[in-house]
Amino acid sequence: MGKWGWLLAIYLFLGGIGAGAYLSSFAAEKGLIGDASSLKKTGYYISAPAVAIGALLLVFDLGQGLRKPWLILGMFANVSSVMTWGIYILSAFILVGLVQAYFVWKDTKAPAILTYAGAVLAVGTMAYTGLLLSVVKAVPFWHTNIMPVLFIISALSTGLSATSLLAHFLEKGEVKEGRVCQTHLGLVSSEIIVLTIFFGLIFSGSLGPMAVLSAQKLFYGSLAVAFWVVLVSLGLVGPFILYAKNAYNQRKYVSLAVSPVEALNLAKKEQAATGTQAKTAICICDGAVMVGGLALRCVILFAALPVWNTTLS
Amino acid sequence: MSKVNSLLSRRAVLKAGALVAGAFALGLPATRIVRAEGSSPTGSNATVGKQLGFRYDQGKCIGCRRCEAACQIQYKWEKGVKWRKVLKKQIKNSKINESVNNFIYLSMSCNHCAEPACVSVCPVGAYQKRAKDGIVVQDPTKCVGCGYCVVACPYHAPQYGEGSGTVSKCSFCAKLQDNGQKPVCVAACPVKALTFGDLAELKKTSGTVAQVNGLPSPELTKPSLVIIPKESK
């Protein structure tokens, strides 16, 4: 689609990762994904930098980014533009994310309002990356409310992966991952379901003929390798199998236990038994989820066809 | 005022929905956002003031491209940018064999839509829909070159110039029109295939349509273009 290419894909990807990482640590802190104390900090650390790097890439992508950068200030001007909403949301999120990370780094309790504001802005950031595309009526492949839902799920998934992967290296000592595998299994499954609904909708014809052509580029056209190999196999089905296997194993140990303490001991035994091999597998899996997330944004951008291609029929 | 209110409610809806229900719940507020987006804040101007539009007669057009050339000379398009294009298509089952009639043409520029996508997507507000005549003017000095209008316009009217790093498009010769002159493309047409005027009047011309030859649905942006299709075949 014209000048919207790689940089925009990476920008949408990093925006999603940053927001998803914030929410991963937020969820860990609030105990929403079990006792995942290993993840309580890392996500906060990477949230603002990831989004900021993405925003910086956008600056390079702008025709005037390096020529008249002061014009960027004008991007706060049009409140009817989704891109302007994004500028507000991202600016606020980067600020809040930085302050939150500072509190976490200093090991002091951040004001609850700040932490919650960050969570709301994170959801806004994730939604924005999808809405930016879904409001474009001139590109039928994008013009569906599924787009923001898909981008939110993928952002949560890639953010959680980035957080787990980095926590693995940053957090020394005992790894406490709580229900990360179950959560991730849910996210990857949701993404598969939403993608299936999306393509079902397209091939039913309800998004018009150009959307069908776009989808065909993914299914057996120029983007088929990126779609089937990188996104579907590496980014979704592979991780689904591994997370499902791990979640099943963990559930087995939890159900055997009569008390939480015993459950913990069993889980420790299980972790000790599977050892570094399983951890390596999870790390590779997290990497694959992120590669898949980038592929998702790339194929959605690159497959887009305009509703009219300036030829007469 | 309703613009401000609706924006606030959009955000409120977004935030509330997001926190409570998480990822899946967002499908619902997104619907509202997209619908609110459809009711463009500038749409009201078009109904209040006059809306100027182009009328293009496919039967009269001889494909000489003088409209294109006049515009290019007047506005010195930068490389890779075309404010007006004459599209051409060979008619297959034509019974008429004279070469001049074997093609159909369509001369198109910006359609100065009633619900212009460029106006609503442009983050810097470089686009303005003039209240007095509905002309959509763009200020290239504000343009950051994000390309959002380029993907959002179904007619590919906003054009990105690699050289300048900015977008530009047809202004309907707004400045010339302010001085009582005609748009240069209209003035250049030797057969009066391309004319302009009050859209409401133009629509009264018999046999006009808003969509021919695979053009996008006029419902997307409500273009100010009426076409008299060629009675071919």
Side-chain angles (χ1 to χ4, degrees):
Chain A
M1 279 307 293
K3 68 191 289 293
W4 282 20
W6 278 102
L7 282 177
L8 188 74
I10 297 170
Y11 159 71
L12 298 178
F13 170 70
L14 287 175
I17 280 227
Y22 187 99
L23 289 172
S24 299
S25 279
F26 180 79
E29 188 187 309
K30 304 292 169 201
L32 301 173
I33 46 173
D35 181 19
S37 50
S38 298
L39 305 187
K40 279 182 181 171
K41 290 181 171 179
T42 315
Y44 288 135
Y45 290 149
I46 54 182
S47 61
V51 178
I53 292 167
L56 198 69
L57 286 178
L58 179 76
V59 171
F60 284 108
D61 210 18
L62 294 172
Q64 297 299 314
L66 301 176
R67 290 180 234 205
K68 296 179 183 170
W70 58 90
L71 289 175
I72 293 167
L73 290 175
M75 294 177 84
F76 290 97
N78 185 5
V79 289
S80 78
S81 168
V82 174
M83 199 179 278
T84 299
W85 304 355
I87 300 287
Y88 279 101
I89 294 170
L90 262 62
S91 310
F93 181 65
I94 291 169
L95 272 177
V96 172
L98 279 177
V99 178
Q100 173 71 28
Y102 176 78
F103 277 110
V104 171
W105 180 57
K106 283 281 167 195
D107 263 327
T108 38
K109 178 115 181 67
I113 186 156
L114 181 88
T115 312
Y116 278 95
V120 173
L121 289 165
V123 175
T125 302
M126 298 189 299
Y128 153 71
T129 58
L131 276 173
L132 184 74
L133 306 182
S134 73
V135 295
V136 178
K137 291 181 191 169
V139 180
F141 187 60
W142 295 342
H143 187 51
T144 157
N145 291 319
I146 293 175
M147 208 47 83
V149 178
L150 182 63
F151 274 66
I152 286 171
I153 296 170
S154 172
L156 288 170
S157 180
T158 51
L160 184 57
S161 278
T163 309
S164 315
L165 190 61
L166 232 71
H168 180 77
F169 297 106
L170 287 183
E171 297 288 323
K172 302 293 175 213
E174 193 184 1
V175 177
K176 280 191 178 175
E177 290 215 317
R179 295 206 309 268
V180 167
C181 271
Q182 284 93 329
T183 308
H184 224 147
L185 180 64
L187 288 171
V188 172
S189 313
S190 308
E191 194 172 332
I192 293 171
I193 292 166
V194 170
L195 267 176
T196 310
I197 295 171
F198 176 55
F199 287 110
L201 203 69
I202 287 176
F203 286 111
S204 77
S206 48
L207 299 184
M210 296 316 280
V212 175
L213 286 179
S214 290
Q216 284 170 350
K217 277 169 87 173
L218 301 187
F219 274 60
Y220 42 81
S222 53
L223 296 164
V225 172
F227 180 72
W228 290 114
V229 178
V230 186
L231 172 56
V232 176
S233 308
L234 193 67
L236 292 171
V237 177
F240 174 84
I241 294 169
L242 192 87
Y243 291 136
K245 193 171 145 258
N246 276 20
Y248 179 77
N249 287 344
Q250 285 174 10
R251 198 174 59 175
K252 199 168 67 183
Y253 276 89
V254 170
S255 61
L256 275 172
V258 281
S259 72
V261 181
E262 198 178 342
L264 192 68
N265 286 335
L266 282 165
K268 272 182 193 164
K269 271 183 202 163
E270 198 255 0
Q271 278 188 349
T274 44
T276 48
Q277 209 180 351
K279 279 178 196 159
T280 311
I282 286 286
C283 283
I284 293 170
C285 192
D286 283 330
V289 165
M290 287 195 279
V291 172
L294 181 59
L296 173 76
R297 279 134 187 104
C298 285
V299 297
I300 284 177
L301 280 179
F302 298 159
L305 293 169
V307 65
W308 183 54
N309 60 3
T310 65
T311 55
L312 302 179
S313 62
Chain B
M1 282 300 110
S2 68
K3 188 171 101 185
V4 176
N5 288 337
S6 70
L7 178 81
L8 285 175
S9 69
R10 265 180 235 152
R11 284 214 182 124
V13 167
L14 188 68
K15 285 177 183 174
L19 252 191
V20 178
F24 264 107
L26 227 103
L28 244 164
T31 315
R32 289 184 206 171
I33 288 162
V34 172
R35 280 189 195 146
E37 188 64 11
S39 56
S40 158
T42 49
S44 56
N45 289 343
T47 52
V48 173
K50 193 167 72 167
Q51 172 68 58
L52 289 178
F54 287 109
R55 179 177 60 192
Y56 175 73
D57 191 331
Q58 266 188 319
K60 282 185 182 170
C61 181
I62 54 170
C64 70
R65 296 177 180 265
R66 278 183 214 175
C67 48
E68 228 183 73
C71 183
Q72 184 173 17
I73 291 163
Q74 179 76 24
Y75 296 104
K76 300 174 182 64
W77 304 338
E78 72 168 292
K79 196 168 168 257
V81 168
K82 282 186 163 190
W83 288 8
R84 178 169 283 282
K85 286 184 277 275
V86 177
L87 308 170
K88 181 180 176 180
K89 187 182 185 277
Q90 193 155 15
I91 306 169
K92 277 177 187 156
N93 303 314
S94 176
K95 287 170 189 165
I96 313 153
N97 286 321
E98 294 160 66
S99 61
V100 70
N101 285 326
N102 274 340
F103 295 96
I104 49 166
Y105 300 99
L106 182 66
S107 174
M108 186 175 277
S109 65
C110 169
N111 292 319
H112 303 276
C113 305
E115 290 172 11
C118 53
V119 177
S120 58
V121 301
C122 178
V124 296
Y127 290 89
Q128 294 283 319
K129 189 165 175 69
R130 307 211 302 187
K132 67 170 177 175
D133 50 18
I135 294 180
V136 176
V137 287
Q138 188 254 12
D139 181 356
T141 64
K142 282 187 183 174
C143 176
V144 279
C146 70
Y148 207 2
C149 55
V150 177
V151 296
C153 174
Y155 300 100
H156 307 277
Q159 302 253 309
Y160 182 74
E162 293 287 345
S164 68
T166 58
V167 169
S168 61
K169 73 160 193 78
C170 155
S171 64
F172 217 143
C173 293
K175 281 183 184 158
L176 295 181
Q177 288 211 48
D178 288 344
N179 295 325
Q181 289 172 270
K182 280 183 186 178
V184 292
C185 52
V186 171
C189 183
V191 290
K192 293 196 165 48
L194 186 66
T195 51
F196 83 111
D198 185 351
L199 185 66
E201 291 300 315
L202 296 179
K203 279 184 173 164
K204 290 176 188 164
T205 322
S206 66
T208 60
V209 294
Q211 193 184 10
V212 284
N213 305 116
L215 284 183
S217 163
E219 288 310 305
L220 293 181
T221 56
K222 303 205 165 47
S224 304
L225 170 70
V226 296
I227 300 162
I228 306 170
K230 184 168 186 167
E231 293 165 46
S232 59
K233 293 166 195 174

PDB file of all heavy atoms in Angstrom, chain B residues 148-168:
ATOM      1  N   TYR B 148      -1.370   8.662   5.246  1.00  0.00           N
ATOM      2  CA  TYR B 148      -2.677   8.115   5.658  1.00  0.00           C
ATOM      3  C   TYR B 148      -3.756   8.465   4.625  1.00  0.00           C
ATOM      4  O   TYR B 148      -4.579   7.614   4.263  1.00  0.00           O
ATOM      5  CB  TYR B 148      -3.047   8.672   7.040  1.00  0.00           C
ATOM      6  CG  TYR B 148      -3.954   7.784   7.878  1.00  0.00           C
ATOM      7  CD1 TYR B 148      -4.378   6.532   7.443  1.00  0.00           C
ATOM      8  CD2 TYR B 148      -4.366   8.199   9.137  1.00  0.00           C
ATOM      9  CE1 TYR B 148      -5.191   5.728   8.231  1.00  0.00           C
ATOM     10  CE2 TYR B 148      -5.185   7.406   9.940  1.00  0.00           C
ATOM     11  CZ  TYR B 148      -5.593   6.164   9.477  1.00  0.00           C
ATOM     12  OH  TYR B 148      -6.401   5.388  10.269  1.00  0.00           O
ATOM     13  N   CYS B 149      -3.746   9.718   4.138  1.00  0.00           N
ATOM     14  CA  CYS B 149      -4.748  10.110   3.140  1.00  0.00           C
ATOM     15  C   CYS B 149      -4.583   9.315   1.855  1.00  0.00           C
ATOM     16  O   CYS B 149      -5.556   9.004   1.168  1.00  0.00           O
ATOM     17  CB  CYS B 149      -4.647  11.606   2.857  1.00  0.00           C
ATOM     18  SG  CYS B 149      -3.006  12.154   2.355  1.00  0.00           S
ATOM     19  N   VAL B 150      -3.325   8.968   1.535  1.00  0.00           N
ATOM     20  CA  VAL B 150      -3.050   8.239   0.300  1.00  0.00           C
ATOM     21  C   VAL B 150      -3.735   6.868   0.325  1.00  0.00           C
ATOM     22  O   VAL B 150      -4.308   6.440  -0.669  1.00  0.00           O
ATOM     23  CB  VAL B 150      -1.525   8.095   0.077  1.00  0.00           C
ATOM     24  CG1 VAL B 150      -1.218   7.269  -1.161  1.00  0.00           C
ATOM     25  CG2 VAL B 150      -0.873   9.464  -0.020  1.00  0.00           C
ATOM     26  N   VAL B 151      -3.694   6.199   1.476  1.00  0.00           N
ATOM     27  CA  VAL B 151      -4.364   4.900   1.552  1.00  0.00           C
ATOM     28  C   VAL B 151      -5.865   5.046   1.779  1.00  0.00           C
ATOM     29  O   VAL B 151      -6.639   4.180   1.411  1.00  0.00           O
ATOM     30  CB  VAL B 151      -3.781   3.958   2.646  1.00  0.00           C
ATOM     31  CG1 VAL B 151      -2.361   3.579   2.350  1.00  0.00           C
ATOM     32  CG2 VAL B 151      -3.917   4.543   4.032  1.00  0.00           C
ATOM     33  N   ALA B 152      -6.294   6.173   2.362  1.00  0.00           N
ATOM     34  CA  ALA B 152      -7.703   6.311   2.743  1.00  0.00           C
ATOM     35  C   ALA B 152      -8.602   6.762   1.596  1.00  0.00           C
ATOM     36  O   ALA B 152      -9.801   6.511   1.615  1.00  0.00           O
ATOM     37  CB  ALA B 152      -7.837   7.283   3.919  1.00  0.00           C
ATOM     38  N   CYS B 153      -8.032   7.444   0.582  1.00  0.00           N
ATOM     39  CA  CYS B 153      -8.872   7.964  -0.506  1.00  0.00           C
ATOM     40  C   CYS B 153      -9.168   6.858  -1.509  1.00  0.00           C
ATOM     41  O   CYS B 153      -8.252   6.297  -2.103  1.00  0.00           O
ATOM     42  CB  CYS B 153      -8.175   9.119  -1.215  1.00  0.00           C
ATOM     43  SG  CYS B 153      -9.105   9.673  -2.665  1.00  0.00           S
ATOM     44  N   PRO B 154     -10.451   6.541  -1.726  1.00  0.00           N
ATOM     45  CA  PRO B 154     -10.773   5.476  -2.676  1.00  0.00           C
ATOM     46  C   PRO B 154     -10.443   5.854  -4.127  1.00  0.00           C
ATOM     47  O   PRO B 154     -10.352   4.983  -4.987  1.00  0.00           O
ATOM     48  CB  PRO B 154     -12.275   5.256  -2.507  1.00  0.00           C
ATOM     49  CG  PRO B 154     -12.773   6.269  -1.557  1.00  0.00           C
ATOM     50  CD  PRO B 154     -11.630   7.111  -1.067  1.00  0.00           C
ATOM     51  N   TYR B 155     -10.262   7.165  -4.388  1.00  0.00           N
ATOM     52  CA  TYR B 155     -10.011   7.625  -5.764  1.00  0.00           C
ATOM     53  C   TYR B 155      -8.539   7.936  -6.030  1.00  0.00           C
ATOM     54  O   TYR B 155      -8.192   8.419  -7.095  1.00  0.00           O
ATOM     55  CB  TYR B 155     -10.880   8.854  -6.056  1.00  0.00           C
ATOM     56  CG  TYR B 155     -12.347   8.537  -5.904  1.00  0.00           C
ATOM     57  CD1 TYR B 155     -13.048   8.889  -4.747  1.00  0.00           C
ATOM     58  CD2 TYR B 155     -13.037   7.852  -6.899  1.00  0.00           C
ATOM     59  CE1 TYR B 155     -14.388   8.554  -4.582  1.00  0.00           C
ATOM     60  CE2 TYR B 155     -14.371   7.515  -6.750  1.00  0.00           C
ATOM     61  CZ  TYR B 155     -15.041   7.874  -5.593  1.00  0.00           C
ATOM     62  OH  TYR B 155     -16.355   7.533  -5.436  1.00  0.00           O
ATOM     63  N   HIS B 156      -7.690   7.723  -5.049  1.00  0.00           N
ATOM     64  CA  HIS B 156      -6.254   7.991  -5.181  1.00  0.00           C
ATOM     65  C   HIS B 156      -5.984   9.445  -5.580  1.00  0.00           C
ATOM     66  O   HIS B 156      -5.069   9.714  -6.371  1.00  0.00           O
ATOM     67  CB  HIS B 156      -5.615   7.035  -6.199  1.00  0.00           C
ATOM     68  CG  HIS B 156      -5.895   5.592  -5.902  1.00  0.00           C
ATOM     69  ND1 HIS B 156      -5.166   4.869  -4.997  1.00  0.00           N
ATOM     70  CD2 HIS B 156      -6.865   4.751  -6.356  1.00  0.00           C
ATOM     71  CE1 HIS B 156      -5.663   3.635  -4.924  1.00  0.00           C
ATOM     72  NE2 HIS B 156      -6.695   3.550  -5.727  1.00  0.00           N
ATOM     73  N   ALA B 157      -6.780  10.348  -5.044  1.00  0.00           N
ATOM     74  CA  ALA B 157      -6.573  11.762  -5.365  1.00  0.00           C
ATOM     75  C   ALA B 157      -5.334  12.330  -4.668  1.00  0.00           C
ATOM     76  O   ALA B 157      -4.510  12.968  -5.319  1.00  0.00           O
ATOM     77  CB  ALA B 157      -7.823  12.569  -5.011  1.00  0.00           C
ATOM     78  N   PRO B 158      -5.150  12.131  -3.361  1.00  0.00           N
ATOM     79  CA  PRO B 158      -3.921  12.647  -2.739  1.00  0.00           C
ATOM     80  C   PRO B 158      -2.724  11.837  -3.227  1.00  0.00           C
ATOM     81  O   PRO B 158      -2.769  10.607  -3.228  1.00  0.00           O
ATOM     82  CB  PRO B 158      -4.146  12.417  -1.233  1.00  0.00           C
ATOM     83  CG  PRO B 158      -5.608  12.130  -1.082  1.00  0.00           C
ATOM     84  CD  PRO B 158      -6.026  11.489  -2.366  1.00  0.00           C
ATOM     85  N   GLN B 159      -1.703  12.529  -3.686  1.00  0.00           N
ATOM     86  CA  GLN B 159      -0.558  11.844  -4.272  1.00  0.00           C
ATOM     87  C   GLN B 159       0.711  12.206  -3.517  1.00  0.00           C
ATOM     88  O   GLN B 159       0.983  13.376  -3.262  1.00  0.00           O
ATOM     89  CB  GLN B 159      -0.414  12.257  -5.737  1.00  0.00           C
ATOM     90  CG  GLN B 159      -1.656  11.949  -6.574  1.00  0.00           C
ATOM     91  CD  GLN B 159      -1.452  10.779  -7.503  1.00  0.00           C
ATOM     92  OE1 GLN B 159      -0.479  10.730  -8.241  1.00  0.00           O
ATOM     93  NE2 GLN B 159      -2.370   9.831  -7.460  1.00  0.00           N
ATOM     94  N   TYR B 160       1.463  11.174  -3.175  1.00  0.00           N
ATOM     95  CA  TYR B 160       2.696  11.375  -2.422  1.00  0.00           C
ATOM     96  C   TYR B 160       3.858  11.599  -3.377  1.00  0.00           C
ATOM     97  O   TYR B 160       4.069  10.817  -4.305  1.00  0.00           O
ATOM     98  CB  TYR B 160       2.976  10.154  -1.545  1.00  0.00           C
ATOM     99  CG  TYR B 160       4.208  10.283  -0.691  1.00  0.00           C
ATOM    100  CD1 TYR B 160       4.207  11.109   0.422  1.00  0.00           C
ATOM    101  CD2 TYR B 160       5.373   9.589  -0.997  1.00  0.00           C
ATOM    102  CE1 TYR B 160       5.329  11.236   1.220  1.00  0.00           C
ATOM    103  CE2 TYR B 160       6.504   9.710  -0.202  1.00  0.00           C
ATOM    104  CZ  TYR B 160       6.474  10.531   0.902  1.00  0.00           C
ATOM    105  OH  TYR B 160       7.592  10.671   1.682  1.00  0.00           O
ATOM    106  N   GLY B 161       4.603  12.662  -3.156  1.00  0.00           N
ATOM    107  CA  GLY B 161       5.779  12.949  -3.971  1.00  0.00           C
ATOM    108  C   GLY B 161       7.038  12.565  -3.219  1.00  0.00           C
ATOM    109  O   GLY B 161       7.310  13.107  -2.155  1.00  0.00           O
ATOM    110  N   GLU B 162       7.792  11.617  -3.781  1.00  0.00           N
ATOM    111  CA  GLU B 162       9.027  11.177  -3.121  1.00  0.00           C
ATOM    112  C   GLU B 162      10.006  12.342  -2.968  1.00  0.00           C
ATOM    113  O   GLU B 162      10.718  12.445  -1.976  1.00  0.00           O
ATOM    114  CB  GLU B 162       9.702  10.061  -3.937  1.00  0.00           C
ATOM    115  CG  GLU B 162       8.931   8.758  -4.003  1.00  0.00           C
ATOM    116  CD  GLU B 162       8.969   7.978  -2.689  1.00  0.00           C
ATOM    117  OE1 GLU B 162       9.813   8.302  -1.828  1.00  0.00           O
ATOM    118  OE2 GLU B 162       8.138   7.067  -2.528  1.00  0.00           O
ATOM    119  N   GLY B 163      10.033  13.203  -3.965  1.00  0.00           N
ATOM    120  CA  GLY B 163      10.982  14.314  -3.952  1.00  0.00           C
ATOM    121  C   GLY B 163      10.763  15.258  -2.781  1.00  0.00           C
ATOM    122  O   GLY B 163      11.690  15.568  -2.029  1.00  0.00           O
ATOM    123  N   SER B 164       9.529  15.700  -2.614  1.00  0.00           N
ATOM    124  CA  SER B 164       9.238  16.671  -1.557  1.00  0.00           C
ATOM    125  C   SER B 164       8.941  15.993  -0.226  1.00  0.00           C
ATOM    126  O   SER B 164       9.017  16.609   0.826  1.00  0.00           O
ATOM    127  CB  SER B 164       8.041  17.533  -1.961  1.00  0.00           C
ATOM    128  OG  SER B 164       6.868  16.743  -1.972  1.00  0.00           O
ATOM    129  N   GLY B 165       8.564  14.718  -0.282  1.00  0.00           N
ATOM    130  CA  GLY B 165       8.166  14.030   0.950  1.00  0.00           C
ATOM    131  C   GLY B 165       6.825  14.495   1.479  1.00  0.00           C
ATOM    132  O   GLY B 165       6.516  14.318   2.655  1.00  0.00           O
ATOM    133  N   THR B 166       6.040  15.099   0.609  1.00  0.00           N
ATOM    134  CA  THR B 166       4.716  15.551   1.023  1.00  0.00           C
ATOM    135  C   THR B 166       3.672  15.093   0.009  1.00  0.00           C
ATOM    136  O   THR B 166       3.990  14.670  -1.089  1.00  0.00           O
ATOM    137  CB  THR B 166       4.624  17.092   1.131  1.00  0.00           C
ATOM    138  OG1 THR B 166       4.954  17.653  -0.139  1.00  0.00           O
ATOM    139  CG2 THR B 166       5.534  17.638   2.204  1.00  0.00           C
ATOM    140  N   VAL B 167       2.426  15.247   0.443  1.00  0.00           N
ATOM    141  CA  VAL B 167       1.299  14.886  -0.405  1.00  0.00           C
ATOM    142  C   VAL B 167       0.720  16.172  -0.988  1.00  0.00           C
ATOM    143  O   VAL B 167       0.744  17.231  -0.349  1.00  0.00           O
ATOM    144  CB  VAL B 167       0.235  14.142   0.427  1.00  0.00           C
ATOM    145  CG1 VAL B 167      -1.064  13.988  -0.334  1.00  0.00           C
ATOM    146  CG2 VAL B 167       0.754  12.781   0.865  1.00  0.00           C
ATOM    147  N   SER B 168       0.215  16.075  -2.211  1.00  0.00           N
ATOM    148  CA  SER B 168      -0.517  17.204  -2.779  1.00  0.00           C
ATOM    149  C   SER B 168      -1.673  16.646  -3.590  1.00  0.00           C
ATOM    150  O   SER B 168      -1.721  15.455  -3.880  1.00  0.00           O
ATOM    151  CB  SER B 168       0.403  18.057  -3.656  1.00  0.00           C
ATOM    152  OG  SER B 168       0.899  17.279  -4.726  1.00  0.00           O
TER     153      SER B 168
END
